Amino acid sequence: MTDQLSTPKGPQAMPPVVDDAAWRAALDDLRRREKAATRELDAIAAQRRRMPMVEVTNHTLTGADGPISLAEIFDGRSQLITYHHMWNDGAEFQCPGCTGYTSQFTRLEFLDNYDARFVIVTNGPIDEALAYRRRVGNRMEWFSAAGTTFGSGVDAAPGEGFAINVFLRDGDRVYRTWHTNGRGTEQLGHSFALLDVLPWGRQEEWQDSPDGWPQRPTYSGWADSTDIAHFYGEDS
């Protein structure tokens, strides 16, 4: 890992100890806020389902087997999620955040029952992208948008950031229905959700934590791309 977990020192780094009744009362109080957040997320999802959509060009991207249209990437399904992976041509290791984030998604077959698919798109050359996929042991299917304006059109132009986009297909016509980037991508993965239920949370310096909680610079606890390759890659 890129940084070692801070070792808590003394009782100041521990939650207060109470009896069971007090603990359950505190949990009930927190649960009210958790339930309110769940209901708000349900309401947001309902609004998302009522979003209009915009037609996009049926770009020709490149996959492992050569040129492929955006509509064909759906592989017969009606819905498609794409993660636009940040890319630097020729680099041995790419963005650690993108590499670590996409390493979460190892079992996506359940989407078949929902008429949907989730793939990675990058602005890099397909041969480099596929080699990197093997190097870091990524399990998703990769496509290249190199030489097209697809990345720019979905708010993930070359040299810019990552993005998640969702599309709906009607025959050969493709429509963009949703987009997010930055911390908006967190709700689609499990890594941060698991960290957030831990007593010390993510342990990053921006978080609101009690005095004495272990904290360190933001991102410093994340696995680097080399770590991902070591854990899951072709030479692991």
Side-chain angles (χ1 to χ4, degrees):
M1 299 290 289
T2 55
D3 187 41
Q4 295 298 313
L5 179 66
S6 302
T7 302
K9 300 180 185 302
Q12 72 275 13
M14 303 288 284
V17 178
V18 297
D19 61 27
D20 185 72
W23 180 82
R24 291 188 180 279
L27 181 63
D28 288 343
D29 185 52
L30 178 62
R31 184 76 77 236
R32 283 188 286 272
R33 298 189 65 182
E34 291 175 337
K35 289 293 187 182
T38 297
R39 288 190 290 270
E40 177 62 13
L41 287 174
D42 286 343
I44 291 170
Q47 181 178 348
R48 187 182 296 119
R49 289 191 294 272
R50 289 164 172 79
M51 279 276 294
M53 60 187 184
V54 60
E55 188 169 4
V56 298
T57 301
N58 190 11
H59 293 274
T60 298
L61 307 185
T62 309
D65 297 323
I68 183 170
S69 71
L70 180 59
E72 290 174 319
I73 292 175
F74 284 73
D75 196 25
R77 299 166 182 84
S78 299
Q79 302 168 106
L80 177 71
I81 306 168
T82 64
Y83 182 91
H84 222 102
H85 199 294
M86 293 176 67
W87 196 264
N88 291 307
D89 288 356
E92 180 181 9
F93 287 100
Q94 300 293 336
C95 168
C98 290
T99 303
Y101 182 82
T102 56
S103 71
Q104 301 175 85
F105 304 109
T106 59
R107 297 181 179 179
L108 293 169
E109 294 80 8
F110 75 94
L111 288 172
D112 292 346
N113 286 341
Y114 295 87
D115 194 21
R117 194 178 190 205
F118 185 17
V119 303
I120 290 177
V121 177
T122 178
N123 294 315
I126 190 60
D127 55 342
E128 289 188 19
L130 295 177
Y132 189 66
R133 178 181 185 268
R134 294 189 296 271
R135 187 174 304 129
V136 298
N138 190 279
R139 301 290 297 276
M140 299 176 69
E141 190 159 356
W142 288 54
F143 297 90
S144 168
T148 76
T149 60
F150 178 70
S152 299
V154 296
D155 299 289
E160 295 184 0
F162 59 95
I164 287 177
N165 283 278
V166 181
F167 303 92
L168 184 66
R169 181 181 64 86
D170 181 16
D172 290 332
R173 304 182 76 170
V174 179
Y175 303 88
R176 188 184 187 199
T177 65
W178 188 68
H179 161 270
T180 194
N181 55 19
R183 293 194 63 197
T185 65
E186 290 182 8
Q187 63 177 293
L188 279 72
H190 63 257
S191 297
F192 294 116
L194 290 175
L195 293 175
D196 284 342
V197 300
L198 295 173
W200 293 319
R202 304 185 195 186
Q203 302 173 45
E204 295 188 349
E205 57 191 2
W206 63 271
Q207 289 194 288
D208 180 0
S209 296
D211 291 341
W213 251 231
Q215 289 184 299
R216 56 191 169 188
T218 302
Y219 311 129
S220 63
W222 293 20
D224 193 73
S225 300
T226 55
D227 299 317
I228 300 298
H230 174 71
F231 296 149
Y232 310 116
E234 58 188 353
D235 296 327
S236 62

